[in-house]
Amino acid sequence: STVIVEPLGFSGEDFHCDFTSVARTGDTVRWRGTCTFGVDVEKTGLTARLSGGKLSYRFDKQGWNGPLQRCPR
């Protein structure tokens, strides 16, 4: 799985999110906005956390995805 993290965006192979707000506490970031999954557009929240150099993320209260390894630029 590949994800791209942006200041107010987050995207993967089958979704794209645009956010209107972001908050960070330590190694945890929370965004709020809309995500497009295929043809469905939903208001959602996304939480991402970094632990041991690996990223995990989840939409609203769904289960965690990852951990994902960071790729070099």
Side-chain angles (χ1 to χ4, degrees):
S1 180
T2 300
V3 297
I4 298 171
V5 181
E6 302 173 78
L8 289 173
F10 195 87
S11 59
E13 296 168 4
D14 57 352
F15 68 92
H16 177 78
C17 302
D18 294 302
F19 302 112
T20 55
S21 68
V22 61
R24 181 179 179 161
T25 304
D27 288 335
T28 301
V29 179
R30 291 180 178 84
W31 292 273
R32 301 286 308 155
T34 58
C35 293
T36 303
F37 304 94
V39 296
D40 298 325
V41 178
E42 302 175 17
K43 286 188 177 181
T44 191
L46 182 102
T47 302
R49 65 181 178 197
L50 190 63
S51 178
K54 296 192 177 188
L55 180 77
S56 296
Y57 68 94
R58 70 178 182 184
F59 293 98
D60 291 319
K61 301 287 183 190
Q62 296 179 13
W64 288 97
N65 296 286
L68 304 173
Q69 183 173 338
R70 184 178 218 163
C71 297
R73 292 181 182 200

